Amino acid sequence: MKLDYVTIFPDYFAPLTLSLVGKAAQTGLLEVQVHDLRQWAHDVHRSVDDTPFGGGAGMVMKPEPWGEALDAVLGGETPACLVIPTPSGALFSQRQAEELAAYDRLVFACGRYEGIDARVPEYARTLTEVRELSLGDYVLNGGEVAALAMTEAIVRLLPGVIGNPESLTEESHSESLRHRLEYPVYTKPASWRGRDVPEILLSGHHAKIAEWRREQAEALTRERRPELLARAED
Ligand code: ADE
């Protein structure tokens, strides 16, 4: 998979050299390229923002540098999905991660300030598929952290990135847990600071363990994320 990031803070993407994503880049499973948006800003100050039409606080990212950036980065090659992280996007979910993991190429356009001029995603849709996505109902200072979070959620789904692919099957939000939160997990020692691992997990009785885990996942979801239980698949 090829991953491109357009940003005014290329240094934000240093963590892509670490851990599983970094390893995947080293072994050639991923090709990562970070682009500084200011290379497409041509005035003396290389400015990328301006005041909003209609008034209001803050600054808006100008369309011209973004237009040139998208022409350059999206040009030619494999069809890509352009991801624009924004608090006004649709909610990024495990399902979105699964869908995006099927692309050979993703381009992340990271906005700052009050966002990118609305004509930019409109124009981008004439070039490629565009998804405007939010990490959650809170506001970050820009799209960089959101792009990193989405990248991690997507890349770990690619074949060969996680050593034991079975660890992907029974985790929070996965199909096999019917979109429940994951059950609590334990490791050795069986007794620690006066707290014992639930007896059932030491029993070796696989069917009973599976049943206990289902109940735990259900109870945890009911307590913390009751809205997940109301979802269609149930
Ligand atoms: N940019 C700023 N806030 C964001 C959020 N919550 N999700 C995605 N991108 C963002």
Side-chain angles (χ1 to χ4, degrees):
M1 179 184 265
K2 170 116 200 279
L3 296 168
D4 290 278
Y5 302 85
V6 184
T7 173
I8 56 167
F9 292 117
D11 291 347
Y12 251 103
F13 294 91
L16 292 178
T17 60
L18 304 174
S19 186
L20 290 176
V21 177
K23 222 167 274 169
Q26 257 177 14
T27 61
L29 268 172
L30 288 182
E31 190 188 337
V32 175
Q33 226 180 327
V34 181
H35 311 265
D36 187 344
L37 178 70
R38 289 194 199 274
Q39 70 188 280
W40 294 289
H42 305 296
D43 62 312
V44 278
H45 303 294
R46 300 203 162 241
S47 51
V48 292
D49 61 325
D50 208 334
T51 53
F53 274 124
M59 301 290 270
V60 174
M61 291 194 107
K62 294 154 64 69
E64 301 98 321
W66 276 111
E68 285 191 36
L70 296 179
D71 289 344
V73 176
L74 288 168
E77 295 187 55
T78 330
C81 183
L82 176 69
V83 178
I84 308 179
T86 164
S88 48
L91 199 61
F92 179 74
S93 61
Q94 190 65 24
R95 179 143 320 158
Q96 291 272 355
E98 285 160 9
E99 288 175 18
L100 292 171
Y103 285 82
D104 290 328
R105 183 148 193 251
L106 298 175
V107 179
F108 290 88
C110 303
R112 284 261 141 187
Y113 316 113
E114 296 306 305
I116 304 173
D117 185 301
R119 291 166 292 183
V120 171
E122 212 177 283
Y123 167 71
R125 286 193 169 88
T126 69
L127 304 175
T128 193
E129 185 190 337
V130 178
R131 296 194 190 194
E132 294 177 82
L133 297 173
S134 170
L135 270 199
D137 296 336
Y138 46 84
V139 179
L140 303 168
N141 285 334
E144 286 79 5
V145 166
L148 283 172
M150 292 176 197
T151 299
E152 188 155 306
I154 294 162
V155 165
R156 64 194 293 284
L157 300 176
L158 301 178
V161 170
I162 288 200
N164 177 7
E166 273 183 30
S167 57
L168 292 177
T169 61
E170 287 218 352
E171 57 186 12
S172 293
H173 310 292
S174 67
E175 282 292 341
S176 77
L177 285 183
R178 292 162 53 240
H179 307 281
R180 297 332 191 229
L181 302 181
E182 190 178 358
Y183 45 79
V185 294
Y186 302 87
T187 186
K188 292 180 272 307
S191 187
W192 176 73
R193 298 194 178 185
R195 289 155 204 276
D196 295 338
V197 168
E199 197 69 44
I200 183 77
L201 298 178
L202 313 177
S203 71
H205 196 302
H206 298 302
K208 282 196 178 150
I209 291 171
E211 175 58 23
W212 179 86
R213 285 176 166 167
R214 262 194 303 279
E215 286 165 10
Q216 292 290 314
E218 192 80 13
L220 202 61
T221 310
R222 194 169 301 284
E223 180 192 325
R224 295 182 181 169
R225 299 288 307 278
E227 78 282 9
L228 294 181
L229 296 173
R231 295 226 175 135
E233 299 85 20
D234 303 321

